[in-house]
Amino acid sequence: MPPQKIPTKGTARLKTVKQVAFEDNVSEKTVRRAIDAGLLEVIRTGPRGRLIRIHPDAHMAYRRRRDW
């Protein structure tokens, strides 16, 4: 899967898996599971698309959808 282009929607800073985990008070593994399940949209960057970044809008959409 080729890396996606970063949206030019304002000047929002992309978040790392670690930042999302901290904000949601969950483990990084939980965030990665949500990504793998397709619940959290990510942007892959860097060499071979290995770096994962999360747009703040995608994070908010995920937070609205999840059941606590």
Side-chain angles (χ1 to χ4, degrees), residues 6 9-16 19 53-57:
I6 297 173
K9 195 178 197 181
T11 58
R13 293 192 59 127
L14 300 178
K15 300 178 183 184
T16 64
Q19 289 170 328
R53 296 294 180 263
I54 298 115
H55 193 278
D57 291 343

Side-chain angles (χ1 to χ4, degrees), residues 9-33:
K9 195 178 197 181
T11 58
R13 293 192 59 127
L14 300 178
K15 300 178 183 184
T16 64
V17 170
K18 189 174 194 172
Q19 289 170 328
V20 170
F22 178 77
E23 290 177 19
D24 291 353
N25 197 30
V26 297
S27 70
E28 290 180 45
K29 192 170 187 176
T30 299
V31 175
R32 291 183 188 280
R33 282 190 203 117

